[in-house]
Amino acid sequence: GPAGGNGGRGGSIHLVCDEGLNMLKQEVHFRATGGQNGMGKARHGESGGDVTVRVPPGTVVRQDEDDALVGEVLRHGDSMRVARGGRGGRGNAAFKTARDTTPRLPGQGGPGGAPPP
């Protein structure tokens, strides 16, 4: 029968306030790693690694679409998740039922995105 494990979650992006900085990095895009695919013998994939971006105090985060304030980091050590990792896909073992003991199609994972308000 089916024995495909579920995929791992994708990594998230976090901002951490560092009082030793006085300007943002020149890097424009930050990308966390994706989760690993599920494997046979019902083994689940490993979750992706999170990325931590050090920012100076007073950094403000706004929505891209409507310029709404999401949050800001003010004091040294303050942390904020700005992008949530995607949900891992379901392996075919998750779809096995008493009636359908050999499902063929795995489920797709979900996209990452902004954290809930």
Side-chain angles (χ1 to χ4, degrees):
N6 297 333
R9 292 185 57 89
S12 297
I13 307 289
H14 299 271
L15 298 183
V16 176
C17 184
D18 184 351
E19 64 186 12
L21 297 175
N22 61 3
M23 59 190 296
L24 293 172
K25 291 177 84 173
Q26 293 298 321
E27 197 171 340
V28 177
H29 299 283
F30 297 92
R31 203 174 268 272
T33 58
Q36 185 181 26
N37 291 336
M39 297 163 280
K41 298 185 181 177
R43 292 178 295 171
H44 299 299
E46 186 176 350
S47 293
D50 292 344
V51 170
T52 301
V53 180
R54 296 181 327 143
V55 295
T59 299
V60 176
V61 178
R62 295 187 178 275
Q63 288 280 343
D64 193 27
E65 301 87 33
D66 57 1
D67 209 32
L69 180 68
V70 174
E72 59 184 321
V73 289
L74 298 173
R75 292 181 299 281
H76 183 74
D78 283 355
S79 159
M80 179 174 141
R81 183 175 71 179
V82 293
R84 179 186 34 121
R87 180 181 60 83
R90 295 194 309 172
N92 61 359
F95 296 100
K96 183 173 145 183
T97 64
R99 257 194 189 176
D100 187 8
T101 57
T102 56
R104 300 281 182 222
L105 296 175
Q108 295 295 315

